Amino acid sequence: MDEFEPRLPVTRPRIGSTEVAATLRRAILDGALRRHDRLPTERELASIHNVSRGTVREAVSRLRRENLVETQRGSGSYVVHRTDDDDSATELFANARPLELVDARFALEPHICRLVVLHGRRTDFGALDELLVCMENSVDDPITFADADGQFHQALARSTGNALLIWLISKVNLVRHQEEWKRMREATLDRRTIANYNHQHRQIVNAIRAREPERAASLMKEHLETARLSLTRAAAT
């Protein structure tokens, strides 16, 4: 009689509120969920994603903080994100090229790092740490990494407490959802590149925690230069 090795149970990585929020965020920004649409109930979302209702609640809370949804007591959560065609500012950002995105970020994000040193709170660092872990667990998943990467830079802006900077970075991030950016992502985000970006993100947060504003700003410039070089090479092929 042949002997068989015992079959071990298949374990799947447990997802958290970051991943649930990312899925809903993509649906909103890509237009699958439109302004005034009602989100599925907590129970339905928990069943869809195989998570607890508490995890769903935290994911929806994230989307509220990003002004993507609002919750009406006794009724549910509704999409409030605007995608109006007549919004000229939104159209301008949405039609920008990926390299224009990086150049705009050069003008904003190094100083954002300086401001986070001054105004960042414990809750802000908790959100940044969670996104760092998500990105580090996504070295073989460029789509999940790219979404968490966008949210990481948005979280840095939120940590400044500056409403105008938060709005500007949210608009800059619209470029990430256009087809040209998606093609660039496929061409540039391999395992080695993602690992390098993750290392740079960690260094930036470490410098902010150490209250070193100029070092944090310099590290952000280095990170953006790396991204720009990667995009330039991809555009030339």
Side-chain angles (χ1 to χ4, degrees), residues 132-185:
L132 286 171
V133 171
C134 180
M135 288 186 287
E136 289 165 352
N137 289 337
S138 303
V139 290
D140 295 313
D141 185 352
I143 294 176
T144 299
F145 169 81
D147 187 87
D149 178 42
Q151 291 312 303
F152 172 79
H153 289 275
Q154 185 73 50
L156 282 172
R158 284 199 302 274
S159 301
T160 67
N162 184 307
L164 182 56
L165 283 173
I166 295 168
W167 180 84
L168 283 170
I169 293 298
S170 72
K171 294 303 181 183
V172 166
N173 274 343
L174 287 176
V175 181
R176 293 172 176 266
H177 299 281
Q178 61 170 247
E179 288 304 315
E180 185 179 357
W181 176 267
K182 291 176 181 177
R183 288 194 296 271
M184 287 288 196
R185 178 182 66 199

Coordinates of all heavy atoms in Angstrom, one line a residue, residues 132-185:
L132 N 3.0 50.8 5.5 CA 4.3 50.3 5.2 C 4.3 48.7 5.2 O 4.9 48.1 4.4 CB 5.3 50.8 6.3 CG 5.8 52.2 6.2 CD1 6.6 52.6 7.4 CD2 6.6 52.5 4.9
V133 N 3.6 48.2 6.2 CA 3.5 46.7 6.3 C 2.8 46.1 5.1 O 3.2 45.1 4.5 CB 2.8 46.3 7.6 CG1 2.5 44.8 7.6 CG2 3.7 46.6 8.8
C134 N 1.7 46.8 4.7 CA 1.0 46.4 3.5 C 1.8 46.4 2.3 O 1.8 45.4 1.5 CB -0.3 47.3 3.3 SG -1.3 46.8 1.9
M135 N 2.6 47.4 2.1 CA 3.5 47.5 0.9 C 4.6 46.4 1.0 O 4.9 45.8 0.0 CB 4.1 48.9 0.8 CG 3.1 49.9 0.4 SD 3.9 51.6 0.1 CE 4.2 52.1 1.7
E136 N 5.1 46.2 2.2 CA 6.2 45.2 2.3 C 5.7 43.8 2.1 O 6.5 42.9 1.7 CB 6.9 45.4 3.7 CG 7.7 46.7 3.8 CD 8.1 47.0 5.2 OE1 7.6 46.4 6.1 OE2 8.9 48.0 5.4
N137 N 4.4 43.6 2.3 CA 3.8 42.3 2.1 C 3.3 42.1 0.6 O 2.8 41.1 0.3 CB 2.6 42.1 3.0 CG 3.1 41.8 4.5 OD1 4.2 41.4 4.7 ND2 2.2 42.1 5.4
S138 N 3.6 43.1 -0.2 CA 3.1 43.1 -1.6 C 4.2 43.2 -2.6 O 3.9 43.7 -3.7 CB 2.1 44.3 -1.8 OG 1.1 44.3 -0.8
V139 N 5.3 42.6 -2.3 CA 6.4 42.7 -3.2 C 6.2 41.9 -4.5 O 6.8 42.2 -5.6 CB 7.8 42.2 -2.6 CG1 8.3 43.2 -1.6 CG2 7.6 40.8 -2.0
D140 N 5.2 41.0 -4.4 CA 4.9 40.2 -5.6 C 3.5 40.5 -6.2 O 2.9 39.8 -6.9 CB 4.9 38.7 -5.3 CG 6.3 38.2 -5.0 OD1 7.3 38.6 -5.7 OD2 6.5 37.5 -3.9
D141 N 3.0 41.7 -5.7 CA 1.6 42.1 -6.1 C 1.7 43.6 -6.4 O 1.3 44.4 -5.6 CB 0.6 41.8 -5.0 CG -0.8 42.1 -5.3 OD1 -1.0 42.7 -6.4 OD2 -1.7 41.8 -4.5
P142 N 2.1 43.9 -7.7 CA 2.2 45.3 -8.0 C 0.9 46.2 -7.9 O 1.0 47.3 -7.5 CB 2.7 45.3 -9.5 CG 3.3 43.9 -9.7 CD 2.5 43.0 -8.8
I143 N -0.2 45.6 -8.1 CA -1.5 46.3 -8.0 C -1.7 46.7 -6.6 O -2.0 47.9 -6.3 CB -2.6 45.5 -8.6 CG1 -2.4 45.3 -10.1 CG2 -4.0 46.2 -8.3 CD1 -3.5 44.4 -10.8
T144 N -1.6 45.8 -5.7 CA -1.9 46.1 -4.3 C -0.8 47.1 -3.8 O -1.1 48.0 -3.0 CB -1.8 44.8 -3.4 OG1 -2.9 44.0 -3.8 CG2 -2.0 45.1 -1.9
F145 N 0.5 46.8 -4.2 CA 1.5 47.8 -3.8 C 1.2 49.2 -4.2 O 1.4 50.1 -3.5 CB 2.9 47.3 -4.3 CG 3.9 48.4 -4.1 CD1 4.6 48.5 -2.9 CD2 4.3 49.2 -5.2 CE1 5.5 49.5 -2.8 CE2 5.2 50.2 -5.0 CZ 5.9 50.4 -3.8
A146 N 0.9 49.3 -5.5 CA 0.7 50.6 -6.1 C -0.5 51.4 -5.4 O -0.4 52.6 -5.1 CB 0.3 50.5 -7.6
D147 N -1.5 50.7 -5.0 CA -2.6 51.3 -4.3 C -2.2 51.7 -2.9 O -2.5 52.9 -2.5 CB -3.8 50.3 -4.2 CG -5.0 51.0 -3.6 OD1 -5.8 51.5 -4.4 OD2 -5.2 50.9 -2.4
A148 N -1.5 50.9 -2.2 CA -1.0 51.2 -0.9 C 0.0 52.3 -0.9 O 0.1 53.2 0.0 CB -0.4 50.0 -0.2
D149 N 0.8 52.3 -2.0 CA 1.8 53.4 -2.2 C 1.1 54.8 -2.3 O 1.5 55.8 -1.7 CB 2.7 53.1 -3.4 CG 3.7 54.2 -3.7 OD1 4.3 54.7 -2.8 OD2 3.8 54.5 -4.9
G150 N 0.1 54.8 -3.1 CA -0.6 56.1 -3.3 C -1.2 56.5 -1.9 O -1.2 57.7 -1.6
Q151 N -1.8 55.5 -1.2 CA -2.4 55.9 0.1 C -1.3 56.3 1.1 O -1.6 57.1 2.0 CB -3.2 54.7 0.6 CG -4.4 54.4 -0.2 CD -5.2 55.7 -0.4 OE1 -5.6 56.4 0.5 NE2 -5.5 56.0 -1.7
F152 N -0.1 55.8 1.0 CA 1.0 56.2 1.9 C 1.3 57.6 1.7 O 1.5 58.4 2.7 CB 2.2 55.3 1.6 CG 3.5 55.7 2.3 CD1 3.7 55.4 3.7 CD2 4.5 56.4 1.7 CE1 4.8 55.8 4.3 CE2 5.6 56.8 2.3 CZ 5.8 56.5 3.6
H153 N 1.5 58.0 0.5 CA 1.8 59.4 0.2 C 0.6 60.4 0.6 O 0.8 61.5 1.0 CB 2.2 59.6 -1.3 CG 3.6 59.0 -1.6 ND1 4.7 59.7 -1.4 CD2 3.9 57.8 -2.0 CE1 5.8 58.9 -1.7 NE2 5.3 57.7 -2.1
Q154 N -0.6 59.9 0.4 CA -1.8 60.6 0.8 C -1.8 60.8 2.3 O -2.1 61.8 2.9 CB -3.0 60.0 0.3 CG -4.3 60.7 0.6 CD -4.5 62.0 -0.3 OE1 -4.4 61.9 -1.5 NE2 -4.8 63.1 0.4
A155 N -1.4 59.7 3.0 CA -1.4 59.7 4.5 C -0.3 60.7 5.0 O -0.5 61.3 6.0 CB -1.1 58.3 5.0
L156 N 0.8 60.8 4.3 CA 1.8 61.8 4.7 C 1.2 63.2 4.6 O 1.4 64.0 5.5 CB 3.0 61.7 3.8 CG 4.0 60.6 4.1 CD1 5.1 60.5 3.0 CD2 4.7 60.8 5.4
A157 N 0.5 63.4 3.5 CA -0.2 64.8 3.4 C -1.2 65.0 4.5 O -1.2 66.1 5.1 CB -0.8 64.9 2.0
R158 N -2.0 64.0 4.8 CA -3.0 64.2 5.9 C -2.3 64.5 7.2 O -2.9 65.2 8.0 CB -3.9 62.9 6.0 CG -4.9 62.8 4.9 CD -6.0 61.8 5.3 NE -5.5 60.5 5.7 CZ -5.3 59.6 4.8 NH1 -5.6 59.8 3.5 NH2 -4.8 58.4 5.1
S159 N -1.1 63.9 7.4 CA -0.4 64.1 8.7 C 0.0 65.6 8.9 O 0.4 65.9 10.0 CB 0.8 63.2 8.7 OG 0.4 61.8 8.6
T160 N 0.0 66.4 7.8 CA 0.4 67.8 8.0 C -0.7 68.6 8.6 O -0.5 69.7 9.1 CB 0.8 68.4 6.6 OG1 -0.4 68.5 5.8 CG2 1.9 67.6 5.9
G161 N -1.9 68.1 8.4 CA -3.1 68.9 8.9 C -3.4 70.1 8.0 O -4.3 70.9 8.3
N162 N -2.7 70.2 6.8 CA -2.9 71.3 5.9 C -3.9 70.9 4.8 O -3.7 70.0 4.0 CB -1.6 71.7 5.2 CG -1.7 72.9 4.3 OD1 -2.5 72.9 3.4 ND2 -0.8 73.8 4.6
A163 N -5.2 71.5 4.9 CA -6.2 71.0 4.0 C -5.9 71.2 2.5 O -6.3 70.4 1.7 CB -7.5 71.8 4.3
L164 N -5.2 72.3 2.2 CA -4.9 72.5 0.8 C -3.9 71.5 0.3 O -4.0 71.0 -0.9 CB -4.3 73.9 0.6 CG -3.9 74.4 -0.8 CD1 -5.1 74.2 -1.7 CD2 -3.4 75.8 -0.8
L165 N -2.9 71.2 1.0 CA -1.9 70.1 0.6 C -2.6 68.8 0.5 O -2.3 68.0 -0.4 CB -0.7 70.1 1.6 CG 0.3 71.2 1.5 CD1 1.3 71.0 2.7 CD2 1.0 71.1 0.2
I166 N -3.5 68.5 1.4 CA -4.2 67.2 1.4 C -5.0 67.2 0.1 O -5.0 66.1 -0.6 CB -5.2 67.1 2.6 CG1 -4.3 67.0 3.9 CG2 -6.1 65.8 2.4 CD1 -5.2 67.1 5.1
W167 N -5.7 68.3 -0.3 CA -6.5 68.3 -1.5 C -5.6 68.2 -2.8 O -5.9 67.4 -3.7 CB -7.2 69.6 -1.6 CG -8.1 69.7 -2.8 CD1 -9.3 69.3 -3.0 CD2 -7.7 70.4 -4.1 NE1 -9.8 69.6 -4.3 CE2 -8.8 70.3 -4.9 CE3 -6.6 71.1 -4.5 CZ2 -8.8 70.8 -6.2 CZ3 -6.6 71.7 -5.7 CH2 -7.7 71.5 -6.6
L168 N -4.4 68.9 -2.8 CA -3.5 68.8 -3.9 C -3.0 67.4 -4.1 O -3.0 66.9 -5.3 CB -2.4 69.8 -3.7 CG -2.7 71.3 -3.9 CD1 -1.5 72.1 -3.4 CD2 -3.0 71.5 -5.4
I169 N -2.6 66.7 -3.1 CA -2.1 65.4 -3.2 C -3.2 64.4 -3.7 O -2.9 63.5 -4.5 CB -1.4 64.9 -1.9 CG1 -0.2 65.7 -1.6 CG2 -1.0 63.4 -2.0 CD1 0.9 65.6 -2.7
S170 N -4.4 64.6 -3.2 CA -5.5 63.8 -3.6 C -5.7 63.9 -5.1 O -6.0 62.9 -5.8 CB -6.8 64.1 -2.8 OG -7.3 65.3 -3.2
K171 N -5.6 65.1 -5.6 CA -5.8 65.4 -7.1 C -4.6 64.8 -7.9 O -4.8 64.2 -8.9 CB -5.9 66.9 -7.3 CG -7.2 67.5 -6.8 CD -8.4 66.8 -7.3 CE -9.7 67.3 -6.8 NZ -10.9 66.6 -7.2
V172 N -3.4 65.0 -7.3 CA -2.2 64.5 -8.0 C -2.3 62.9 -8.2 O -2.0 62.4 -9.2 CB -0.9 64.8 -7.2 CG1 0.3 64.0 -7.7 CG2 -0.6 66.3 -7.4
N173 N -2.9 62.3 -7.1 CA -3.0 60.8 -7.2 C -4.0 60.3 -8.2 O -4.0 59.1 -8.5 CB -3.4 60.3 -5.8 CG -2.2 60.1 -4.9 OD1 -1.1 60.0 -5.4 ND2 -2.4 60.0 -3.6
L174 N -4.8 61.2 -8.7 CA -5.8 60.8 -9.8 C -5.0 60.3 -11.0 O -5.5 59.5 -11.7 CB -6.7 62.0 -10.2 CG -7.8 62.4 -9.2 CD1 -8.5 63.7 -9.8 CD2 -8.8 61.3 -9.0
V175 N -3.8 60.8 -11.2 CA -3.0 60.4 -12.4 C -2.8 58.9 -12.3 O -2.7 58.2 -13.3 CB -1.7 61.1 -12.5 CG1 -0.9 60.7 -13.7 CG2 -2.0 62.6 -12.5
R176 N -2.7 58.3 -11.1 CA -2.4 56.9 -10.9 C -3.5 56.0 -11.5 O -3.3 54.8 -11.7 CB -2.3 56.6 -9.4 CG -1.0 57.2 -8.8 CD -1.1 57.0 -7.3 NE 0.1 57.4 -6.6 CZ 1.2 56.7 -6.3 NH1 1.2 55.4 -6.7 NH2 2.2 57.2 -5.7
H177 N -4.7 56.6 -11.8 CA -5.8 55.8 -12.2 C -6.1 55.9 -13.7 O -7.0 55.3 -14.2 CB -7.1 56.2 -11.5 CG -7.0 56.0 -10.0 ND1 -7.1 54.7 -9.4 CD2 -6.7 56.8 -9.0 CE1 -6.9 54.8 -8.1 NE2 -6.6 56.1 -7.8
Q178 N -5.2 56.5 -14.4 CA -5.3 56.6 -15.9 C -4.6 55.4 -16.5 O -3.7 54.8 -15.9 CB -4.8 57.9 -16.4 CG -3.3 58.2 -16.1 CD -2.8 59.4 -16.9 OE1 -2.0 59.2 -17.7 NE2 -3.2 60.6 -16.5
E179 N -4.9 55.1 -17.8 CA -4.4 53.9 -18.4 C -2.9 54.0 -18.7 O -2.2 53.0 -18.5 CB -5.1 53.7 -19.8 CG -6.5 53.2 -19.6 CD -6.6 51.9 -18.8 OE1 -5.8 51.0 -19.1 OE2 -7.5 51.8 -18.0
E180 N -2.4 55.2 -19.0 CA -0.9 55.4 -19.2 C -0.2 55.0 -18.0 O 0.9 54.4 -18.0 CB -0.6 56.8 -19.7 CG 0.9 57.0 -20.1 CD 1.2 58.4 -20.5 OE1 0.3 59.2 -20.6 OE2 2.4 58.6 -20.8
W181 N -0.7 55.5 -16.8 CA 0.0 55.2 -15.6 C 0.0 53.7 -15.3 O 1.0 53.1 -14.8 CB -0.6 55.9 -14.4 CG 0.0 55.6 -13.1 CD1 -0.5 54.6 -12.2 CD2 1.2 56.1 -12.5 NE1 0.4 54.5 -11.1 CE2 1.4 55.4 -11.3 CE3 2.1 57.1 -12.9 CZ2 2.5 55.7 -10.5 CZ3 3.1 57.3 -12.1 CH2 3.3 56.6 -10.9
K182 N -1.1 53.0 -15.6 CA -1.2 51.6 -15.3 C -0.2 50.8 -16.2 O 0.4 49.8 -15.8 CB -2.7 51.1 -15.6 CG -3.7 51.6 -14.6 CD -5.1 51.2 -14.9 CE -6.1 51.8 -13.9 NZ -7.5 51.4 -14.2
R183 N -0.1 51.3 -17.5 CA 0.9 50.7 -18.3 C 2.3 50.9 -17.8 O 3.2 49.9 -17.8 CB 0.8 51.2 -19.8 CG -0.4 50.8 -20.5 CD -0.3 51.1 -22.0 NE -0.2 52.5 -22.2 CZ -1.2 53.3 -22.4 NH1 -2.5 52.8 -22.4 NH2 -1.1 54.6 -22.7
M184 N 2.6 52.1 -17.3 CA 3.9 52.3 -16.7 C 4.2 51.5 -15.5 O 5.2 50.9 -15.2 CB 4.0 53.8 -16.3 CG 4.2 54.8 -17.5 SD 5.8 54.6 -18.2 CE 5.8 56.2 -19.2
R185 N 3.1 51.3 -14.7 CA 3.2 50.5 -13.5 C 3.6 49.0 -13.8 O 4.5 48.4 -13.2 CB 1.9 50.5 -12.7 CG 1.9 49.6 -11.5 CD 0.5 49.7 -10.8 NE -0.5 49.0 -11.7 CZ -1.8 49.3 -11.6 NH1 -2.3 50.1 -10.7 NH2 -2.7 48.6 -12.4

